[in-house]
Amino acid sequence: MKNAVAIDLGSANTVIYQVGGGVVLSEPSVVAFDVGSKKKVKAVGKEAKNLIGKTADGTEIVFPVVEGQIVDEKAAGAMVENFLNKISTNKFGLRPQVLLSIPCGLDNAEIKQYERAFNSAGVYGIDFVESPILSALGSDAPITTSTPCFIIDIGGGSTNIAAVSLDGVIAGVNIGIGGNSIDATIIKCVEREYGLKIGSLTAEKLKISIGSLYENEVNYAQINGRDIAGGKPRSVTVPSGKIYSPIKHVLDKIFEVADMVMSKLPAEVSAEIRSNGVYLAGGTAKIPGVAEYFSRTMAIRANLAEYPDLANAIGGSKVAANHSLLKKVRIHA
Ligand SMILES: Nc1ncnc2c1ncn2[C@@H]1O[C@H](COP(=O)(O)OP(=O)(O)OP(=O)(O)O)[C@@H](O)[C@H]1O
Ligand SMILES: [Mg+2]
């Protein structure tokens, strides 16, 4: 049996899709190391994320991927190796053939870095495909060699905005704004409004539980933090309206860049995109009302992927399962 997987090595989350088997892993892209004489892996994924802010000096928490790109090759290799070991087929010693999503426009040296990290994780072989093509395929966009589509993948550390066809990326940018920027803005907002200091995990939970771009929606969430003046722990109940503007602020910036990319497209491409609408993917696109908000402000239909946070890996699995498609879209290192 062939062991083929598609991997989306995101700055926030790693998703592994087993061809023929579905999503077999979705965990935070985090490693915790024991900083002894030999740097040993203490925890990866969910377990490592739970250690954030709670560890003593002996533990180092590493996010090996930042803004969609590997910044720590060794940590990335260790993380991927641990993730692959969690997947059952790997336990029979069947090393996987990996289809990996990479940011657009990497040079050869940067691609080699991915190759080294994955080889150290013990993969059989690796193919590279540029991220927006996979997110488009995984969002069921009608993309072919002659039909371009416009994809906005709003992730944790970055947002990929691109017009793509199966021939490649027509125009695109990768900006360092995403869900993490919303969390950071929420932290500041809670500090200002309630005099309360909260951590990034709390800000993220608040965003996921009550964040919305439906201005009139009212939900509440209770959060714990530290009183800035007195230093004591304190909890407050936050209504969704309070975090509407941090969310809107970040998405407005993203949509402004999307508008700029769109305005520079060749006329034929632009006409095709206007008639099909844009496609939204990435975990941050799960905020309720994102597609409607986009359509309203940009006057273009927005199609939300069925599984926004998994779209990239789903697209990867479609390519990994189709040899002629793979030949068409893979990048040669
Ligand atoms: N239901 C939800 N509502 C709002 N935000 C969410 C939800 N689920 C996940 N997110 C946010 O989505 C972001 C992660 O998205 P995703 O998994 O697409 O990122 P990534 O691919 O790891 O990052 P990048 O593409 O920047 O490298 C995080 O900021 C997370 O808080
Ligand atoms: Mg991503």
Side-chain angles (χ1 to χ4, degrees):
M1 191 193 85
K2 206 173 146 216
N3 184 15
V5 296
I7 303 185
D8 173 12
L9 191 69
S11 4
N13 257 310
T14 296
V15 181
I16 305 185
Y17 193 116
Q18 179 119 40
V19 175
V23 173
V24 287
L25 182 132
S26 170
E27 293 210 32
S29 305
V30 192
V31 203
F33 288 104
D34 224 334
V35 207
S37 54
K38 273 202 187 108
K39 214 164 130 175
K40 260 191 4 220
V41 173
K42 189 170 180 173
V44 293
K46 285 187 199 98
E47 235 182 286
K49 189 171 180 180
N50 277 332
L51 293 175
I52 293 174
K54 295 175 199 150
T55 60
D57 283 351
T59 306
E60 186 193 353
I61 308 267
V62 180
F63 284 83
V65 185
V66 173
E67 293 183 14
Q69 206 164 335
I70 290 185
V71 291
D72 185 332
E73 196 179 304
K74 284 228 168 73
M79 183 177 78
V80 172
E81 185 179 7
N82 271 270
F83 283 158
L84 289 173
N85 283 336
K86 287 190 177 188
I87 300 171
S88 57
T89 47
N90 222 45
K91 293 197 179 110
F92 305 117
L94 221 49
R95 291 188 300 154
Q97 174 69 29
V98 173
L99 185 129
L100 183 69
S101 167
I102 54 170
C104 300
L106 293 189
D107 62 30
N108 248 5
E110 288 168 322
I111 294 178
K112 290 280 177 231
Q113 200 184 17
Y114 281 84
E115 214 161 37
R116 284 194 301 271
F118 275 74
N119 283 335
S120 79
V123 306
Y124 178 77
I126 181 161
D127 293 301
F128 301 101
V129 179
E130 287 179 315
S131 164
I133 294 182
L134 299 180
S135 298
L137 286 165
S139 305
D140 290 324
I143 175 177
T144 68
T145 313
S146 57
T147 319
C149 78
F150 199 90
I151 174 90
I152 306 179
D153 180 334
I154 319 173
S158 61
T159 295
N160 266 280
I161 301 169
V164 290
S165 77
L166 289 186
D167 257 348
V169 177
I170 300 161
V173 288
N174 187 12
I175 51 174
I177 310 176
N180 295 348
S181 327
I182 297 178
D183 302 345
T185 321
I186 289 177
I187 290 176
K188 279 194 218 138
C189 164
V190 169
E191 221 173 279
R192 199 177 53 236
E193 295 275 333
Y194 301 97
L196 199 70
K197 179 96 197 143
I198 57 168
S200 59
L201 294 186
T202 304
E204 184 184 29
K205 270 193 202 142
L206 191 60
K207 171 188 74 182
I208 291 177
S209 63
I210 60 166
S212 172
L213 271 168
Y214 294 119
E215 204 174 355
N216 298 324
E217 195 167 278
V218 186
N219 283 307
Y220 295 90
Q222 200 187 36
I223 50 165
N224 303 314
R226 190 169 288 284
D227 190 272
I228 290 173
K232 289 216 170 65
R234 178 158 65 86
S235 69
V236 294
T237 300
V238 180
S240 40
K242 282 274 188 266
I243 59 167
Y244 173 79
S245 105
I247 293 173
K248 180 180 171 327
H249 177 73
V250 170
L251 285 158
D252 279 342
K253 273 200 214 161
I254 291 172
F255 295 159
E256 199 179 299
V257 178
D259 195 37
M260 200 185 68
V261 174
M262 220 174 293
S263 69
K264 291 189 177 147
L265 292 174
E268 293 81 10
V269 175
S270 180
E272 194 102 37
I273 285 163
R274 286 216 157 255
S275 83
N276 289 332
V278 305
Y279 286 77
L280 300 179
T284 301
K286 287 168 82 173
I287 293 176
V290 167
E292 291 84 343
Y293 183 78
F294 181 89
S295 304
R296 205 161 9 106
T297 48
M298 311 286 283
I300 299 185
R301 180 158 51 90
N303 311 282
L304 180 64
E306 188 175 3
Y307 304 104
D309 50 336
L310 307 176
N312 185 281
I314 292 172
S317 75
K318 289 184 183 175
V319 175
N322 179 338
H323 193 68
S324 62
L325 182 57
L326 172 63
K327 263 181 25 198
K328 193 174 286 177
V329 297
R330 91 173 138 208
I331 300 277
H332 294 280

